Amino acid sequence: MREAAAVAAPLTGGTVLAFDFGEKRIGVAVGETSLAQAHPLTVIHAAANADRFAAIAALIAEWQPVYLVVGMPGHLGEQDTPHTMAARCRRFANQLHGRFGLAVAFADERLSSIDAESRLREAGHDARRAKSHTDAVAAQLILQIHFDSLTAHAHHESS
């Protein structure tokens, strides 16, 4: 199996899809590298792996991303301690890379779900309605973190 290729910076401009991987749901966000703005897209609720990847294949066919981003969990304050979901996220990234031939970048997803829930509540969504959007907004935050790190890296190199 091919290991997912980490992306330090986009090779070309274009669309990027980001994933907040979970065992029950996968949040998906979309953004354009030139705008460096992420937007929540959808939540994949399929339990079976084949159904999950069929839904992802449909999104990739529709959006034609130049690369993908997967949120990588970690423990707060323990940067060297792998999170229990980290191995599953890495496996998911490897599967994305192997199935679709796209490079995969990782972005720190610590607190993305908590932040997403907070943003949805602030926007006036009740708890039940917010729950159905949380994973997509978490994916948006993951992609925005990725875009912001690219912008910061590019700014640092030009200084």
Side-chain angles (χ1 to χ4, degrees):
M1 175 162 63
R2 292 185 292 181
E3 183 75 17
V7 175
L11 303 174
T12 59
T15 301
V16 179
L17 289 179
F19 300 91
D20 178 32
F21 177 78
E23 293 177 316
K24 295 180 182 176
R25 295 174 308 277
I26 300 173
V28 186
V30 64
E32 284 290 323
T33 57
S34 60
L35 300 174
Q37 289 292 310
H39 304 280
L41 185 58
T42 190
V43 177
I44 298 169
H45 293 276
N49 219 24
D51 294 338
R52 287 177 169 208
F53 281 102
I56 292 168
L59 291 171
I60 288 174
E62 179 180 351
W63 291 94
Q64 297 291 306
V66 292
Y67 68 95
L68 308 172
V69 176
V70 172
M72 183 59 69
H75 292 292
L76 292 173
E78 300 177 30
Q79 295 184 0
D80 295 332
T81 306
H83 188 278
T84 55
M85 280 295 290
R88 291 184 181 124
C89 289
R90 194 168 303 282
R91 182 171 182 255
F92 175 67
N94 287 337
Q95 290 173 326
L96 289 172
H97 178 66
R99 287 175 187 246
F100 304 110
L102 293 167
V104 179
F106 293 101
D108 185 353
E109 73 166 25
R110 283 178 285 189
L111 301 179
S112 61
S113 293
I114 294 167
D115 194 9
E117 289 170 3
S118 174
R119 287 177 187 224
L120 286 165
R121 275 195 308 277
E122 288 170 12
H125 294 281
D126 64 41
R128 186 178 307 135
R129 183 170 156 89
K131 186 91 172 137
S132 67
H133 298 292
T134 299
D135 297 301
V137 174
Q140 173 193 13
L141 296 173
I142 288 165
L143 185 53
Q144 195 61 56
I145 288 165
H146 173 72
F147 283 153
D148 292 349
S149 72
L150 293 178
T151 303
H153 182 73
H155 179 72
H156 178 70
E157 284 188 351
S158 66
S159 306

